[in-house]
Amino acid sequence: KININTASYRVLSALTDNMTDDIVSEIIRRRNVRPFSSVSEVRDLISDDNVLNNMLTVKSFIFRIEATATVDNASVTITAYYSRDDKKILYWAEE
């Protein structure tokens, strides 16, 4: 599911054919004032019940973590994906 509190403008725009620039901007404006605690808080902007009930959430469950360390001229970047539910790292890469 897509977290409406963190989804990018492009992701929100792609939810339905009815997502106008004004609707997406209003969702972003509202969440910047106060993060949504329930998907129903955008019911006045998104009327598609399938989107509201099956595609949206207000919590994130998978997180991307990126860390870079540098010593002298050497550096390494680690990218990991972490699952909140499983409390496990799903993916780990060093570059």
Side-chain angles (χ1 to χ4, degrees):
K1 290 190 173 186
I2 297 165
N3 183 343
I4 56 175
N5 286 314
T6 60
S8 70
Y9 188 95
R10 282 186 178 184
V11 170
L12 292 172
S13 295
L15 285 173
T16 73
D17 291 338
N18 298 328
M19 293 298 284
T20 65
D21 290 340
D22 289 342
I23 291 171
V24 175
S25 294
E26 181 61 13
I27 290 170
I28 292 171
R29 186 195 69 74
R30 288 185 192 180
R31 77 182 188 196
N32 286 339
V33 172
R34 186 178 57 84
F36 298 108
S37 59
S38 168
V39 170
S40 64
E41 293 178 51
V42 294
R43 185 170 289 285
D44 63 316
L45 300 172
I46 302 173
S47 58
D48 186 327
D49 283 335
N50 182 50
V51 172
L52 289 169
N53 297 327
N54 301 315
M55 296 175 65
L56 298 178
T57 185
V58 293
K59 278 184 134 181
S60 293
F61 297 94
I62 297 178
F63 299 88
R64 179 174 182 259
I65 303 164
E66 187 173 291
T68 301
T70 304
V71 176
D72 297 325
N73 292 329
S75 63
V76 64
T77 298
I78 297 170
T79 302
Y81 287 87
Y82 176 79
S83 170
R84 170 188 276 170
D85 288 344
D86 300 331
K87 295 180 175 53
K88 292 183 180 177
I89 294 175
L90 304 172
Y91 172 83
W92 176 282
E94 297 176 24
E95 300 169 19

